[in-house]
Structure formats: C-alpha cells, structure tokens
Amino acid sequence: MSFTVPTSLRVEVKDITREVVAEVEKSKVKNGIVLVYVPHSTAALFINENESGLVKDLTWMVKEIIPKGRSFEHNRIDNNAWSHLASALLGCSLTLPVTGGRIERGTWQNIFLVELDGPRNRKVAVKVIGT
Ligand code: ZN
C-alpha cells in the first residue's frame, strides 16, 4: 500500500496523518504494527505536533540541521548534498503500534513527511502487519 504526496516547496513539513490512518483502517488489522516509509534519499519522516507555529519552528529546525555554508562533495554531481544529509539525520521510516484498529499515538503526535529537495511527488509506503 502506498500513497503519493505532492510538495510545493524546496523544504516543507507536511502532515500525512490522515492518509496513514486511512491505510491502517483499510488493512483491517486490529493489533500489530504499521511501518511508514519514504523510498527517497532526500525526504524524511518524523512525528510531532501539528500546531501552526510549531510547524514553522520544525521547518526552521530542518533548514538549520545541516549548515549550508560548506562545499559538499556530492554537489559536484547533483547539487543536493544538503538534502541527502538532512534526510540521513532525520530518517526515512517510522514504526508505530496498532491497537484496537487504531494507531497508538499521543494527542499531540501527528505524522509528518519532510520534503528536503522539492517540489516533487513523494511516495509514502505503508505496511500494516498484524491480526
Ligand atoms: Zn543527490
């Protein structure tokens, strides 16, 4: 199972909770785990609160996580070394518990796709494993 997320900025933090919840519901799994994965080397995932100010703060953090003022080796072929490095630090998969057919997450925990080299269409793969 997978879905596509269109992004519109070079660096963007996008809430994909609703789409992931829909995939878990479709799976009919009541107890198990859900793996959320982005098959990209210049995107990432994280969990945090979807509050508009915090989303701006998270976007700032993502932009600052790797200092830009250095000449990266990978830029000689692709000019997006910064995007790869930020993705490597943030990670490209999440594993969450599914209990009673619902993802166990805190009230303020939403699932975010992090675009690091947009705009692009990003694939999000979702595997729900359980009974
Ligand atoms: Zn590259």
Side-chain angles (χ1 to χ4, degrees), residues 41-42 74-75 77-81 83-84 117 120:
S41 62
T42 56
H74 180 65
N75 284 349
I77 60 159
D78 214 4
N79 207 32
N80 67 352
S83 312
H84 288 276
D117 195 22
R120 295 186 191 219

mmCIF file of all heavy atoms in Angstrom, residues 41-42 74-75 77-81 83-84 117 120, ligand 1:
data_model
loop_
_atom_site.group_PDB
_atom_site.id
_atom_site.type_symbol
_atom_site.label_atom_id
_atom_site.label_comp_id
_atom_site.label_asym_id
_atom_site.label_seq_id
_atom_site.Cartn_x
_atom_site.Cartn_y
_atom_site.Cartn_z
ATOM 1 N N SER A 41 15.862 9.393 -0.903
ATOM 2 C CA SER A 41 17.053 9.759 -0.130
ATOM 3 C C SER A 41 17.147 11.252 0.141
ATOM 4 O O SER A 41 18.125 11.723 0.733
ATOM 5 C CB SER A 41 18.318 9.249 -0.829
ATOM 6 O OG SER A 41 18.425 9.868 -2.088
ATOM 7 N N THR A 42 16.100 11.995 -0.270
ATOM 8 C CA THR A 42 16.081 13.436 0.040
ATOM 9 C C THR A 42 14.734 13.832 0.634
ATOM 10 O O THR A 42 14.238 14.934 0.407
ATOM 11 C CB THR A 42 16.403 14.284 -1.214
ATOM 12 O OG1 THR A 42 15.475 13.950 -2.257
ATOM 13 C CG2 THR A 42 17.828 14.064 -1.698
ATOM 14 N N HIS A 74 29.121 15.817 -2.785
ATOM 15 C CA HIS A 74 28.059 15.327 -3.670
ATOM 16 C C HIS A 74 27.561 16.420 -4.626
ATOM 17 O O HIS A 74 27.030 16.095 -5.701
ATOM 18 C CB HIS A 74 26.909 14.786 -2.817
ATOM 19 C CG HIS A 74 25.744 14.258 -3.589
ATOM 20 N ND1 HIS A 74 25.822 13.151 -4.408
ATOM 21 C CD2 HIS A 74 24.454 14.680 -3.663
ATOM 22 C CE1 HIS A 74 24.633 12.910 -4.943
ATOM 23 N NE2 HIS A 74 23.791 13.829 -4.512
ATOM 24 N N ASN A 75 27.772 17.671 -4.260
ATOM 25 C CA ASN A 75 27.290 18.769 -5.121
ATOM 26 C C ASN A 75 27.969 18.787 -6.482
ATOM 27 O O ASN A 75 27.457 19.402 -7.421
ATOM 28 C CB ASN A 75 27.459 20.114 -4.410
ATOM 29 C CG ASN A 75 26.402 20.313 -3.334
ATOM 30 O OD1 ASN A 75 25.442 19.548 -3.268
ATOM 31 N ND2 ASN A 75 26.589 21.307 -2.500
ATOM 32 N N ILE A 77 28.048 16.400 -8.506
ATOM 33 C CA ILE A 77 27.228 15.685 -9.495
ATOM 34 C C ILE A 77 25.762 16.068 -9.440
ATOM 35 O O ILE A 77 25.037 15.917 -10.415
ATOM 36 C CB ILE A 77 27.342 14.139 -9.347
ATOM 37 C CG1 ILE A 77 26.886 13.669 -7.959
ATOM 38 C CG2 ILE A 77 28.746 13.665 -9.668
ATOM 39 C CD1 ILE A 77 26.492 12.205 -7.942
ATOM 40 N N ASP A 78 25.281 16.551 -8.324
ATOM 41 C CA ASP A 78 23.832 16.627 -8.125
ATOM 42 C C ASP A 78 23.355 17.936 -7.499
ATOM 43 O O ASP A 78 22.176 18.266 -7.565
ATOM 44 C CB ASP A 78 23.444 15.463 -7.200
ATOM 45 C CG ASP A 78 22.091 14.918 -7.532
ATOM 46 O OD1 ASP A 78 21.505 15.394 -8.502
ATOM 47 O OD2 ASP A 78 21.633 14.020 -6.818
ATOM 48 N N ASN A 79 24.229 18.646 -6.840
ATOM 49 C CA ASN A 79 23.898 19.901 -6.163
ATOM 50 C C ASN A 79 22.778 19.787 -5.127
ATOM 51 O O ASN A 79 22.037 20.745 -4.906
ATOM 52 C CB ASN A 79 23.563 20.991 -7.186
ATOM 53 C CG ASN A 79 23.872 22.381 -6.622
ATOM 54 O OD1 ASN A 79 24.812 22.529 -5.831
ATOM 55 N ND2 ASN A 79 23.082 23.364 -6.987
ATOM 56 N N ASN A 80 22.625 18.587 -4.518
ATOM 57 C CA ASN A 80 21.621 18.490 -3.448
ATOM 58 C C ASN A 80 22.168 17.706 -2.244
ATOM 59 O O ASN A 80 21.412 17.014 -1.549
ATOM 60 C CB ASN A 80 20.310 17.884 -3.966
ATOM 61 C CG ASN A 80 20.466 16.434 -4.376
ATOM 62 O OD1 ASN A 80 21.579 15.897 -4.416
ATOM 63 N ND2 ASN A 80 19.355 15.796 -4.666
ATOM 64 N N ALA A 81 23.446 17.827 -1.989
ATOM 65 C CA ALA A 81 24.066 17.130 -0.854
ATOM 66 C C ALA A 81 23.364 17.490 0.451
ATOM 67 O O ALA A 81 23.115 16.625 1.291
ATOM 68 C CB ALA A 81 25.553 17.475 -0.764
ATOM 69 N N SER A 83 20.310 18.151 1.017
ATOM 70 C CA SER A 83 19.049 17.407 1.135
ATOM 71 C C SER A 83 19.290 15.970 1.579
ATOM 72 O O SER A 83 18.566 15.428 2.420
ATOM 73 C CB SER A 83 18.316 17.413 -0.212
ATOM 74 O OG SER A 83 18.262 18.716 -0.751
ATOM 75 N N HIS A 84 20.314 15.325 1.024
ATOM 76 C CA HIS A 84 20.654 13.952 1.417
ATOM 77 C C HIS A 84 21.079 13.898 2.880
ATOM 78 O O HIS A 84 20.698 12.982 3.617
ATOM 79 C CB HIS A 84 21.821 13.429 0.564
ATOM 80 C CG HIS A 84 21.467 13.119 -0.855
ATOM 81 N ND1 HIS A 84 20.907 11.925 -1.260
ATOM 82 C CD2 HIS A 84 21.629 13.844 -1.992
ATOM 83 C CE1 HIS A 84 20.738 11.932 -2.566
ATOM 84 N NE2 HIS A 84 21.172 13.085 -3.041
ATOM 85 N N ASP A 117 13.998 18.367 -0.843
ATOM 86 C CA ASP A 117 14.504 18.729 -2.172
ATOM 87 C C ASP A 117 13.340 18.883 -3.154
ATOM 88 O O ASP A 117 13.341 18.316 -4.237
ATOM 89 C CB ASP A 117 15.499 17.658 -2.648
ATOM 90 C CG ASP A 117 16.328 18.127 -3.833
ATOM 91 O OD1 ASP A 117 16.462 19.343 -4.027
ATOM 92 O OD2 ASP A 117 16.845 17.261 -4.571
ATOM 93 N N ARG A 120 8.321 18.100 -5.367
ATOM 94 C CA ARG A 120 8.288 16.790 -6.027
ATOM 95 C C ARG A 120 7.007 16.067 -5.623
ATOM 96 O O ARG A 120 6.308 16.490 -4.719
ATOM 97 C CB ARG A 120 9.452 15.914 -5.550
ATOM 98 C CG ARG A 120 10.840 16.392 -5.911
ATOM 99 C CD ARG A 120 11.830 15.346 -5.490
ATOM 100 N NE ARG A 120 13.202 15.827 -5.572
ATOM 101 C CZ ARG A 120 14.218 15.081 -5.986
ATOM 102 N NH1 ARG A 120 14.024 13.827 -6.352
ATOM 103 N NH2 ARG A 120 15.442 15.570 -6.006
HETATM 104 ZN ZN ZN B 1 21.781 13.755 -4.924
#
